[in-house]
Amino acid sequence: LRSISSSGIQVPEPKLFDIPVKPFKTSSGKVQSTIKHPILLPHELLHAIATKYPDHLASLECVSTNDFWRELDRSDPKYLNHPIRTEPHKEVRGVPLVIHGDGAVYTTRQASIVSLQFKPLLAIGKASWDSVFMMTAFAKEAATKDTWPALWRPIVGSLKAMYDLGVGERPIYGVPWLFSADMEFLANEVGFPHWNANWSGSCGCCAFCDASWEGPAHVLNRDGFVNLAHDDSGRDISEHPIWDIPGICRHSAVYEWMHTNDLGILTHLIGSTLAEFMLEGRGSHKQNLKEFWDESVCRMYADMKVANRISVITKEMLGGKKGTFYNLSRCKAAEIRHVV
């Protein structure tokens, strides 16, 4: 984790912090409920790169940010709720940052780990191993309700330092701008609504307007929705430490693209399309689906001389149980994107 592999860059040693965990027995038989856990503090990491590897920082579009600030819509609620609004001098050397939280399976028995990273917003298209900087990761099964605040506190303090004081000889200011995650992370970790939960009068997607699953179907077709009264800071959502990061507010949270698009909209689009062929054919559902996939889709792949990443589609992969929508499940994001 300390090596930015493609560039040979070595980042600083992580700091160790006392983090609460589920009680466990040590090898000596003693019951322990805290551990020393490593965190790569973002202000130290960015300082090291700015002073030792300035060319790498420039390659991530971290120096020439003037266009971003000049073209920024000054009515953007992220800007209106950001301290940089009253500190325009920081725009000259201000690097907009994306803070990202995610979960992943890391063992053969499907145990999950939560990781926290950050990256320069303008490093779009750069390889992730060059532009995404790990801060920490932690196993879910070892966590308690006190674990996550303890992990976040030093990270929040470090991000504050990066924004307030800057890093490097000619200070570069890390400007927190977005917080990206999938819906599960934002719901479970930060306190956003879970999918399909009628939360604060909303449909349970973003909690910004009064769209609702309740009532007649045509309610979603009217000319616009009424914005819900809310606290822009996000503190009405939860008391999560993330709201203490300079500039991070309710409007900073974005559902990241892979889960929103590839594992979200596109799974429903493809699943519903396949369901049409499955339900409308003259044979059984299983036969209709197999014929369409094998004779149309797979043949198209063969004609184009492209390897098919999803070789078999089954009725069970489309879901469609009562009260749900058809969607193509059990596939990876890259596979869904490849089919499209």
Side-chain angles (χ1 to χ4, degrees):
L1 292 180
R2 292 187 54 234
S3 174
I4 301 177
S5 58
S6 70
S7 307
I9 291 175
Q10 291 293 316
V11 300
E13 287 280 353
K15 294 289 191 296
L16 297 177
F17 294 87
D18 290 321
I19 303 296
V21 296
K22 289 179 180 177
F24 66 97
K25 281 188 177 181
T26 65
S27 57
S28 63
K30 180 182 177 182
V31 176
Q32 190 170 319
S33 58
T34 62
I35 61 170
K36 296 286 187 183
H37 189 73
I39 297 177
L40 285 166
L41 296 174
H43 77 285
E44 292 187 353
L45 194 156
L46 197 62
H47 175 81
I49 296 175
T51 53
K52 297 179 181 179
Y53 311 99
D55 291 343
H56 182 73
L57 204 62
S59 74
L60 299 180
E61 308 297 334
C62 288
V63 177
S64 303
T65 60
N66 290 338
D67 287 346
F68 174 82
W69 297 110
R70 183 171 57 250
E71 297 173 10
L72 178 69
D73 180 0
R74 301 292 163 162
S75 65
D76 186 329
K78 292 188 293 296
Y79 175 74
L80 296 177
N81 288 278
H82 204 292
I84 204 168
R85 184 184 181 191
T86 58
E87 300 176 289
H89 63 282
K90 289 185 176 178
E91 293 184 6
V92 179
R93 304 273 296 171
V95 180
L97 301 176
V98 181
I99 301 155
H100 181 66
D102 200 2
V105 172
Y106 78 107
T107 70
T108 55
R109 56 186 176 83
Q110 303 297 299
S112 294
I113 196 168
V114 170
S115 64
L116 301 175
Q117 312 107 35
F118 76 96
K119 70 172 293 181
L121 175 63
L122 302 183
I124 298 171
K126 304 294 181 181
S128 58
W129 50 80
D130 278 335
S131 60
V132 178
F133 305 125
M134 176 70 74
M135 295 185 287
T136 195
F138 201 87
K140 283 185 178 181
E141 62 184 350
T144 72
K145 63 179 179 62
D146 298 319
T147 300
W148 309 114
L151 284 170
W152 274 100
R153 275 192 289 270
I155 290 173
V156 170
S158 179
L159 290 168
K160 280 184 176 180
M162 192 158 56
Y163 174 78
D164 292 338
L165 305 175
V167 298
E169 296 176 0
R170 292 183 61 214
I172 290 176
Y173 299 96
V175 182
W177 192 252
L178 294 175
F179 179 75
S180 70
D182 61 19
M183 184 173 282
E184 180 184 10
F185 188 98
L186 285 175
N188 293 339
E189 169 66 11
V190 185
F192 271 68
H194 285 272
W195 171 250
N196 211 12
N198 199 29
W199 185 79
S200 298
S202 79
C203 65
C205 292
C206 66
F208 277 100
C209 73
D210 65 342
S212 174
W213 294 111
E214 298 178 354
H218 68 268
V219 72
L220 295 179
N221 296 325
R222 56 190 173 83
D223 292 335
F225 305 103
V226 179
N227 287 335
L228 294 172
H230 56 254
D231 178 358
D232 280 330
S233 73
R235 297 182 188 279
D236 61 330
I237 295 174
S238 68
E239 297 179 357
H240 196 279
I242 192 174
W243 308 123
D244 293 326
I245 299 173
I248 294 298
C249 66
R250 185 189 199 98
H251 303 278
S252 308
V254 293
Y255 297 117
E256 50 91 4
W257 185 247
M258 183 184 78
H259 287 85
T260 304
N261 187 64
D262 301 331
L263 294 177
I265 297 169
L266 292 183
T267 64
H268 288 283
L269 174 64
I270 297 173
S272 296
T273 302
L274 291 174
E276 286 290 322
F277 289 98
M278 178 181 74
L279 298 172
E280 298 298 327
R282 289 176 289 183
S284 68
H285 289 175
K286 181 178 181 180
Q287 181 183 354
N288 293 339
L289 186 59
K290 186 178 186 303
E291 286 181 357
F292 171 72
W293 190 259
D294 290 349
E295 296 178 10
S296 298
V297 179
C298 292
R299 182 177 296 174
M300 189 182 300
Y301 271 105
D303 291 344
M304 297 174 69
K305 299 181 179 179
V306 176
N308 185 359
R309 297 189 184 184
I310 306 176
S311 57
V312 178
I313 293 290
T314 65
K315 179 182 176 182
E316 289 71 27
M317 292 171 69
L318 300 184
K321 295 180 181 179
K322 185 177 180 181
T324 66
F325 300 101
Y326 286 102
N327 71 296
L328 182 57
S329 61
R330 307 179 193 177
C331 297
K332 296 183 180 296
E335 294 170 339
I336 296 290
R337 193 180 310 151
H338 196 258
V339 170
V340 174

